[in-house]
Amino acid sequence: MATLHNLGFPRIGPGRELKFALEAYWRGETDAASLEGTASELRRHNLMLQYNAGLDWLPVGEFSLYDHVLDTSFLLGHVPSRFRDGSGLSERDQYFRVARGRAPEGAPATAAEMTKWFDTNYHYIVPELEDATRFSLNAEKWLAEIDEARELGVPYKPVVLGPVSYLHLSKCKGASAEALDSLEALIPLYRSFLEQMHQAGARWIQMDEPALALDLAQDWRVAFERAYGELGTRTARPRILLTSYFGPLRDNLETVTRLPVDGLHLDAVRAADEVDRVAARWPRDRVLSLGVIDGRNVWRADLQALTDRLAPFHDARGDGLWLAPSCSLLHVPVSLAPEDTMDDELRSWLAFATEKLDELATLGQALNQGPASVRDELDASARAVQARRRSEQVVRTEVRERMRQLGDDMFRRRSPYPRRAGAQQQRFALPRYPTTTIGSFPQTAEIRRVRSRYRNGRISADEYRRFMKECIAEAIREQEAAGLDVLVHGEAERNDMVEYFGEQLDGYAFTRFGWVQSFGSRCVKPPVIYGDVARPGPMTVDWVRYAQSLTDRPVKGMLTGPVTMLQWAFVRDDQPRGDTAFQIALALRDEVADLEAAGIGMIQVDEPALREGLPLRRAEWDAYLDWAVRAFRLATAVVRDDTQIHTHMCYAEFNDIMAAIADLDADVITIETSRSDMELLDAFEGFAYPNEIGPGVYDIHSPNVPEQEAMEQLLRAAAGRIPPERLWVNPDCGLKTRRWEDVRPALRNMVAAARTLRRESGQTATA
Ligand code: GLN
Ligand code: ZN
C-alpha cells in the first residue's frame, strides 16, 4: 500500500486569518492569547483537512507565525546578539523583533536580513552566525504542535529544517567566515531534538535539506555525512525521512545514498528525469518518497498518467513507496473553492493546495485499490490536462504564427550603441549627469481609493480618467519644479507592475483569493499565465502621451519586462518558459512601437526579476540567461536609433551576471547601489559596462531625505569607475512607497548634487 503524506501546508489560512491576527497583534489591538488562538485553530483546521483527504502522515511543526527558518533559529536558541537586550520581552515578542526590527512598543533595532527561499518568492529570515553564537535547544513549539495533533488523534510527522541546509542558509557575521564551523555544535542539539520527538511519540521525522538541490562544494557534502552519521541510533529517535526539493540531486546523489537515513524524498516534478536513477540506487528496504504533485504550480495533474508511471515502483516497493506533493504546499494558494467568478473552463484546469491533497488521495487509491476504483476521477483529470493543451483559450494561431516568424534581426537594434548614443544626444541634448526617476511617484491614500472605487464600478471611466490625468499633471509639475531632466508619468494608475499589464493581456488570469505568503504577514496574489499571450490593444500609450503633452522635457514610457512578467506569475507548464517569455516580449514589442509612434522618445522596460529567475544550478544559468536576454531584446529592439531604451533592476548582487546585463543592450540601465555604498560598482572594475548607467544615489527604502553632500560623494565614487559622460543620476527604485513631503526635498537635493558635479566637470549646459 503506497503511503500518502504531505510536506507542509499554507499557514496563512483560507481567508488570510493569520495575516489579520498578526497585524492586529502587532498594532497592539489584541493579546498573545488571541493570536495563539487563531494560530491553533488554523493548525487544527489544516490537520483535519489533510486527515480527511486521506493522508497517512500529516506534517506538524512546519506551521509558523512568521518564518520557518526563524523558527529553526529559535529552536536552536540562536538569537543574534543585537536583539538581546534583556528588555524582558516574551520569546514571542523577541521573535517578532528579529523578524520586524521592532518590538510592539517600538524598541529600536534593525530587522534581520531577509532573502528569497531558493528560487521561490517566499522570503526567509537569514540566520546570522556570530563569534559569540551559542546554541541551546528549545523544542517547545514542536512539542506543543504534536500535542495538538495527538488531541485530534491524527497521525503526525514532525518537520524540521535539517542542520546542513540551516547552515547553508546562514550568513557569517563574525571573524570565523565558515558557516560549517558551527556544525559540530549543532549536531548534539539535533540529536536531542530527535530524542525529544521520539519521546513525544513521533515515529517518523521529516528533515528538510533543500540544499541538496544546489551545487555543493565538497566540504558541504562531507558535512552531510558527518551530521547524519551522528544523529543517534534508530532505537532512540524517529525514523528519518530526508527531504530534498526544488530540483534534482544530480551529483549529490552519491552522498545521499551513503547517509544512514530511513527514507528519501525526491521532487519528482522538478527532478522527473532523475526518478529512475534514484529508484535504482535507493535500497528497497528504505522508504522512497516521490513528490509527484507539483507544489510550485497551480495546474491539475494528469492522475491517469501518474498512475501508469508509478505502478512499477508500487509493485516493487509496496508500502515503502510514499507519495506526496513535490515540496511544501506553502507556495500555492489554499483553495479553489472561493474562486466562484472564475471562468469554468479555466477553473477546471487548476488545483490549489486543498485540491492537490485530493489529487494525492485519488492517486493513492488508484495504486492501492486499482485504477478501476477511481476510474471517473482519473479520466476527468486526464481530460482536464488534455483540454488545457488544446483549448482555444490557450492556443492562439496569430501568436503561434508570429513565434514561427521570429528572425534574428528582431533581436538586434539597427545600430550599435555608440551610433545610437550620438543620435540620441542630438535629439535630447541632455546635460552631463542627466537626472531622472525610476517611474512611480507616491501612491497616496486618495489614489488607492479612486482606483478601488473604479474597480468596484462606483465611479465612471470618465471620472477615473479625469482623476488620473490630474495625478499625471501634478507629477509633471513636481518634476519640473524639482528640475529633473527626464520625466515620468508617475504610474498612479498601476496597483502592481505585473498585474497592471497582465490584466490587459490575453492569456493571463487573476484569482480573487489566490494569496501566497511572501514573508511574515505579507501575501501576494500571482496571476496565472494559462495561454498564448497577446495584446488586444495599447496598454500605456494614452497616459504617457498625455504626460508628454504637458512638458517640453522628455517623458519616459514605462513597461514591465518579459522576465518579470513571467517570474511573478504561475506559468503554464506545457511549453518552455522561454517560449512564454517570447510571447510576452512580442506583446511588449508592439507597445514599445506604439509608444515610439506616439512621439515618446524614451522607453523604460523594468526587469527587477531578471536575477532571481536564475536557476539553482549553475550549469543551467547560460540557457536561462540566453532566453531571458533575447526576450528583453525582442521586446525593445524594434525602435529607431534615436529612441532611447532604459531598463531598471533593483538588486545589489549582479556581479556574476554582468555580461548578460550588458547583453540586454539597453541604452541606459538604472540599478540599486545606494544601500551597498556603491559596492556594486566593484563589478565595473573587472567588466566595463558599455552603455549608460544610473547607479541609484538615493535609497528609497529608507524614509530619510538623502543629503546633497552624500549623493555627491556617491556620484564622485561612481565617476571614478564609469566614464562621467555615461553616468545618470537617479534614485535606486520607484518612489511609490514614499510620501511627497519626503520625495520633494530628496529630488531637489539629488538635482543639486548633479549640478555640483556638472560644475566640477566644467559642464553646465549641453555636452
Ligand atoms: N517602474 C517601477 C516603479 O518605479 C519599478 C519598480 C521595481 O523595479 N520594482 O515602481
Ligand atoms: Zn527597483
Side-chain angles (χ1 to χ4, degrees):
M1 295 279 270
T3 303
L4 306 181
H5 73 122
N6 187 22
L7 274 52
F9 198 78
R11 311 139 181 173
I12 205 75
R16 285 184 294 161
E17 291 82 356
L18 183 60
K19 172 193 178 67
F20 301 121
L22 282 169
E23 291 172 359
Y25 177 72
W26 293 334
R27 284 194 302 264
E29 291 165 15
T30 54
D31 60 8
S34 146
L35 174 61
E36 273 311 329
T38 304
S40 170
E41 227 172 274
L42 277 171
R43 285 192 297 263
R44 285 178 298 163
H45 171 86
N46 291 349
L47 284 175
M48 288 319 292
L49 192 79
Q50 298 174 82
Y51 181 70
N52 291 332
L55 271 55
D56 300 301
W57 294 110
L58 318 182
V60 297
E62 35 73 82
F63 181 87
S64 181
L65 285 178
Y66 201 98
D67 164 46
H68 55 271
V69 180
L70 187 58
D71 291 339
T72 314
S73 290
F74 272 72
L75 168 70
L76 302 171
H78 177 200
V79 184
S81 51
R82 65 198 161 96
F83 296 105
R84 306 174 184 244
D85 62 356
S87 60
L89 287 183
S90 69
E91 180 168 305
R92 183 181 308 97
D93 289 342
Q94 197 165 39
Y95 171 91
F96 288 139
R97 187 185 195 180
V98 179
R100 308 177 61 238
R102 52 188 182 276
E105 59 277 11
T110 44
E113 194 180 319
M114 199 168 64
T115 195
K116 292 215 176 207
W117 173 246
F118 298 85
D119 60 352
T120 72
N121 276 329
Y122 175 85
H123 302 70
Y124 71 94
I125 304 284
V126 182
E128 297 173 13
L129 298 167
E130 304 164 294
D131 295 335
T133 298
R134 299 283 172 276
F135 300 100
S136 64
L137 188 68
N138 178 2
E140 265 323 301
K141 174 188 178 294
W142 275 258
L143 294 169
E145 291 179 27
I146 286 177
D147 279 346
E148 273 174 354
R150 292 172 85 157
E151 262 167 46
L152 292 173
V154 297
Y156 55 89
K157 170 193 59 171
V159 179
V160 71
L161 180 59
V164 184
S165 293
Y166 178 75
L167 290 178
H168 205 275
L169 294 165
S170 303
K171 209 167 167 173
C172 289
K173 295 271 165 126
S176 122
E178 299 284 341
L180 273 179
D181 291 347
S182 296
L183 186 63
E184 215 56 57
L186 282 191
I187 292 172
L189 268 75
Y190 271 88
R191 197 161 50 224
S192 349
F193 175 70
L194 293 188
E195 275 164 24
Q196 287 188 30
M197 294 298 102
H198 186 63
Q199 279 153 20
R203 289 171 50 206
W204 278 93
I205 185 154
Q206 170 186 327
M207 295 188 71
D208 285 358
E209 290 285 9
L212 287 167
L214 305 176
D215 296 316
L216 291 178
Q218 187 57 25
D219 52 345
W220 285 96
R221 295 204 189 128
V222 172
F224 270 104
E225 296 196 42
R226 279 244 312 283
Y228 283 81
E230 291 174 36
L231 286 181
T233 52
R234 263 269 278 279
T235 50
R237 60 159 171 81
R239 290 163 190 254
I240 296 174
L241 178 71
L242 180 73
T243 317
S244 68
Y245 41 82
F246 298 153
L249 295 166
R250 300 258 191 272
D251 48 351
N252 297 327
L253 177 59
E254 271 316 306
T255 306
V256 166
T257 54
R258 281 198 294 272
L259 303 180
V261 295
D262 309 282
L264 169 67
H265 173 84
L266 182 72
D267 183 332
V269 175
R270 289 266 180 106
D273 61 352
E274 197 177 58
V275 170
D276 291 317
R277 192 163 78 97
V278 172
R281 293 292 315 275
W282 194 249
R284 296 253 172 109
D285 60 353
R286 298 203 233 167
V287 162
L288 177 64
S289 165
L290 295 179
V292 289
I293 302 291
D294 193 348
R296 292 291 299 277
N297 216 333
V298 292
W299 307 110
R300 207 165 150 183
D302 181 342
L303 299 175
Q304 178 60 61
L306 279 176
T307 305
D308 297 342
R309 171 84 175 110
L310 291 170
F313 300 108
H314 186 238
D315 291 343
R317 291 178 179 262
D319 55 9
L321 176 70
W322 289 23
L323 299 175
S326 58
C327 59
S328 167
L329 294 173
L330 181 63
H331 311 291
V332 292
V334 176
S335 167
L336 259 181
E339 300 295 338
D340 48 12
T341 56
M342 190 184 275
D343 173 86
D344 283 340
E345 189 184 4
L346 174 59
R347 199 171 182 279
S348 73
W349 302 336
L350 299 175
F352 293 171
T354 306
E355 292 76 34
K356 284 175 189 288
L357 296 175
D358 293 335
E359 291 189 305
L360 191 61
T362 303
L363 188 60
Q365 211 180 319
L367 289 168
N368 292 336
Q369 283 146 46
S373 68
V374 279
R375 185 75 277 148
D376 290 350
E377 285 94 330
L378 296 184
D379 288 349
S381 88
R383 263 200 314 273
V385 172
Q386 283 153 23
R388 167 156 70 94
R389 303 203 161 147
R390 283 195 313 257
S391 168
E392 278 172 28
Q393 284 209 61
V394 171
V395 181
R396 287 192 163 72
T397 336
E398 358 50 273
V399 177
R400 298 287 163 113
E401 194 47 39
R402 274 186 95 183
M403 290 284 285
R404 260 193 300 277
Q405 285 169 7
L406 293 179
D408 280 350
D409 56 320
M410 294 172 74
F411 296 88
R412 257 196 320 265
R413 292 288 294 271
R414 293 172 204 178
S415 311
Y417 166 75
R419 270 270 280 288
R420 301 189 318 248
Q424 291 161 19
Q425 183 53 29
Q426 202 142 47
R427 176 171 179 193
F428 302 114
L430 293 173
R432 186 169 279 197
Y433 301 106
T435 52
T436 190
T437 63
I438 306 304
S440 57
F441 277 119
Q443 295 239 329
T444 60
E446 195 190 10
I447 291 180
R448 285 197 297 266
R449 198 165 46 240
V450 170
R451 260 200 328 253
S452 103
R453 285 167 62 91
Y454 175 53
R455 220 169 238 276
N456 300 330
R458 294 178 39 218
I459 58 172
S460 70
D462 265 0
E463 281 172 278
Y464 173 73
R465 259 197 303 272
R466 224 173 305 131
F467 176 82
M468 284 301 154
K469 283 185 157 182
E470 208 22 72
C471 293
I472 291 173
E474 196 184 310
I476 298 291
R477 277 196 299 274
E478 290 281 0
Q479 294 172 87
E480 290 195 326
L484 289 158
D485 301 306
V486 171
L487 315 189
V488 296
H489 79 290
E491 301 182 26
E493 78 286 7
R494 304 183 190 176
N495 123 61
D496 174 275
M497 65 188 287
V498 168
E499 192 173 41
Y500 179 76
F501 291 95
E503 282 182 338
Q504 301 186 71
L505 290 168
D506 291 340
Y508 269 84
F510 290 82
T511 64
R512 285 175 71 202
F513 305 101
W515 298 100
V516 177
Q517 191 176 17
S518 170
F519 62 89
S521 67
R522 193 75 78 83
C523 300
V524 293
K525 201 151 59 70
V528 177
I529 305 180
Y530 63 88
D532 290 345
V533 176
R535 187 194 74 142
M539 304 182 282
T540 63
V541 178
D542 283 346
W543 302 127
V544 184
R545 189 198 285 126
Y546 175 68
Q548 185 65 82
S549 75
L550 302 174
T551 179
D552 294 333
R553 306 183 196 191
V555 174
K556 270 193 290 190
M558 202 52 65
L559 306 174
T560 302
V563 177
T564 303
M565 289 295 294
L566 194 73
Q567 197 59 30
W568 294 349
F570 289 115
V571 184
R572 58 192 293 191
D573 60 356
D574 59 331
Q575 68 181 19
R577 287 170 74 83
D579 289 2
T580 307
F582 278 23
Q583 293 182 353
I584 301 169
L586 282 171
L588 291 168
R589 184 180 174 92
D590 295 344
E591 185 75 9
V592 167
D594 283 351
L595 283 168
E596 180 179 66
I600 303 304
M602 300 185 178
I603 300 162
Q604 178 172 312
V605 178
D606 292 325
E607 279 293 25
L610 185 75
R611 173 112 193 10
E612 69 183 55
L614 272 183
L616 294 175
R617 299 279 194 163
R618 266 203 188 249
E620 284 147 34
W621 282 19
D622 283 351
Y624 162 76
L625 288 170
D626 181 64
W627 65 251
V629 167
R630 282 162 56 79
F632 182 90
R633 294 173 66 134
L634 182 59
T636 53
V638 65
V639 294
R640 300 191 308 256
D641 283 354
D642 67 352
T643 296
Q644 191 168 65
I645 296 292
H646 290 231
T647 188
H648 165 72
M649 297 172 186
C650 33
Y651 39 76
E653 290 168 26
F654 68 24
N655 300 12
D656 44 5
I657 58 163
M658 205 54 196
I661 288 172
D663 238 15
L664 298 176
D665 200 24
D667 297 298
V668 184
I669 182 172
T670 53
I671 48 174
E672 176 191 302
T673 44
S674 55
R675 265 184 304 181
S676 53
D677 272 344
M678 298 268 151
E679 220 175 76
L680 168 80
L681 295 178
D682 294 346
F684 295 91
E685 302 270 80
F687 184 94
Y689 185 76
N691 305 358
E692 286 152 63
I693 183 158
V697 291
Y698 153 16
D699 176 7
I700 64 94
H701 306 88
S702 146
N704 305 335
V705 173
E707 310 231 343
Q708 180 183 334
E709 189 104 334
M711 289 190 277
E712 286 170 12
Q713 222 111 78
L714 288 172
L715 280 171
R716 284 190 201 100
R721 295 196 174 89
I722 297 161
E725 61 280 9
R726 288 200 263 121
L727 260 181
W728 283 65
V729 179
N730 46 264
D732 64 1
C733 198
L735 296 162
K736 71 177 186 189
T737 57
R738 301 269 66 94
R739 304 173 312 162
W740 274 114
E741 298 90 279
D742 304 322
V743 165
R744 242 175 244 127
L747 290 179
R748 290 210 160 85
N749 290 353
M750 189 183 87
V751 168
R755 290 188 176 145
T756 306
L757 266 94
R758 273 173 217 163
R759 264 197 308 280
E760 287 174 6
S761 69
Q763 286 238 343
T764 42
T766 306

